[in-house]
């Protein structure tokens, strides 16, 4: 899945949920002052900014395959070392970091086990590798209501429910296959208030990720039909979306 979209589009679509997730995810990974940390699949920098606050920008590195996201990090966090690279081929020496984190990325890796193995390789022995994935395969992901509405139009569409790591225990299995030790998995949840229906809906039209790609491919009539289905499934505004992510950590 390509994320060759403007950083601001991603901020409006997923950043509204990923930003409040970043601090509790960093807590879960045990990131603290004095460490060197790597953000794998950094996007426009929700987690990167949190890591920089905790360990200092000079002690943070970040990678993402999307050039617009790498450019955004370079502008927003100029003291962070950021490079365009995939999780499966990290441009770092062995044992370079105390912690390597991947927030909402594993399910978009071409090869999740290979990506996690690379994260383990660049993390010192005993250091922490951590990852999170929204509960797309359950009933509490931030996009579940949207994908339920899509299935009303297109019953065969599975949305993101079958992506890697999107169900309870799936990240644990991937971590163990990648050779990580002392693997633990916990759910983390965030709540995001939306002031209006249009404020919730409009970011779906920006072409971000599988959800945005689906909307972009619809003709105007079906797009409007999907919009109205979503409206009927949501309560009157303002409303709160509760979103759960599965989070796993293991030792390199």
């Amino acid at each position: 899945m390509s994320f060759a979209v403007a950083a601001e589009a991603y901020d409006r679509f997923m950043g509204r949920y990923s930003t409040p997730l970043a601090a509790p995810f960093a807590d879960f990974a045990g990131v603290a002052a004095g460490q060197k940390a790597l953000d794998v699949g950094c996007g426009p920098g929700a987690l990167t900014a949190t890591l920089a606050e905790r360990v200092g920008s000079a002690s943070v590195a970040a990678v993402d395959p999307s050039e617009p996201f790498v450019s955004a990090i370079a502008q927003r966090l100029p003291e962070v070392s950021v490079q365009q690279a995939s999780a499966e081929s990290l441009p770092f020496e062995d044992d370079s970091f105390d912690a390597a984190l991947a927030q909402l990325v594993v399910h978009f890796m071409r090869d999740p086990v290979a990506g996690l193995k690379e994260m383990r390789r660049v993390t010192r022995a005993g250091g922490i590798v951590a990852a999170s994935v929204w509960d797309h395969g359950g009933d509490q992901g931030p996009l579940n209501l949207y994908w339920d509405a899509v299935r009303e139009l297109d019953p065969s569409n599975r949305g993101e429910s079958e992506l890697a790591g999107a169900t309870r225990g799936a990240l644990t299995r991937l971590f163990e296959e990648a050779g990580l030790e002392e693997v633990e998995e916990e759910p983390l949840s965030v709540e995001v208030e939306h002031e209006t229906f249009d404020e919730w809906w409009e970011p779906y039209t920006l072409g971000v990720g599988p959800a945005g790609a689906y909307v972009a491919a619809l003709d105007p009539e079906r797009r409007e039909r999907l919009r109205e289905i979503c409206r009927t499934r949501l309560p009157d505004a303002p409303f709160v979306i509760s979103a759960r992510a599965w989070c796993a950590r293991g030792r390199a």
Side-chain angles (χ1 to χ4, degrees):
M1 169 54 61
S2 171
F3 283 88
V5 296
E8 292 76 13
Y10 185 91
D11 290 338
R12 291 169 61 191
F13 176 69
M14 187 51 67
R16 52 191 174 169
Y17 306 113
S18 62
T19 298
L21 179 66
F25 178 50
D27 289 340
F28 173 76
V31 176
Q35 294 181 332
K36 290 186 64 178
L38 171 64
D39 186 359
V40 176
C42 57
L47 177 62
T48 319
T50 295
L51 297 177
E53 290 173 0
R54 297 196 177 198
V55 304
S57 296
S59 296
V60 176
V63 298
D64 198 282
S66 167
E67 191 280 330
F69 293 170
V70 170
S71 295
I73 294 283
Q75 293 176 5
R76 296 173 179 183
L77 299 164
E79 294 182 6
V80 167
S81 174
V82 60
Q83 299 183 60
Q84 187 173 358
S86 69
E88 296 86 351
S89 184
L90 295 174
F92 305 106
E93 299 293 330
D94 296 358
D95 308 319
S96 294
F97 301 96
D98 299 295
L101 288 73
Q103 175 168 280
L104 310 176
V105 174
V106 167
H107 52 313
F108 293 126
M109 292 180 184
R110 294 190 308 275
D111 184 337
V113 172
L116 291 169
K117 284 182 176 179
E118 274 288 89
M119 292 172 68
R120 184 190 64 167
R121 178 186 66 78
V122 302
T123 303
R124 65 169 175 79
I128 292 293
V129 172
S132 61
V133 174
W134 291 124
D135 182 28
H136 293 307
D139 59 359
Q140 291 190 42
L143 310 184
N144 285 52
L145 182 144
Y146 165 83
W147 286 116
D148 286 345
V150 167
R151 279 187 284 276
E152 190 169 325
L153 280 179
D154 180 5
S156 66
N157 193 306
R158 299 298 299 160
E160 298 172 61
S161 63
E162 297 178 354
L163 294 178
T167 55
R168 182 192 295 271
L171 275 176
T172 293
R173 292 189 289 273
L174 292 171
F175 270 51
E176 290 175 344
E177 190 174 347
L180 291 155
E181 301 178 349
E182 300 178 29
V183 179
E184 301 175 274
E185 183 173 326
E186 293 181 11
L188 292 176
S189 297
V190 299
E191 293 191 343
V192 177
E193 183 174 79
H194 296 274
E195 293 295 330
T196 67
F197 170 79
D198 286 335
E199 180 260 319
W200 175 86
W201 166 255
E202 194 269 342
Y204 283 90
T205 69
L206 301 177
V208 181
Y214 183 84
V215 172
L218 294 174
D219 62 51
E221 182 178 347
R222 284 175 65 80
R223 183 182 300 190
E224 182 60 24
R225 174 60 180 152
L226 177 59
R227 182 179 183 276
E228 289 307 309
I229 293 171
C230 290
R231 185 192 290 275
T232 63
R233 288 172 175 265
L234 284 163
D236 292 338
F239 55 85
V240 172
I241 297 294
S242 296
R244 177 173 64 194
W246 300 115
C247 302
R249 66 188 172 212
R251 294 201 177 275

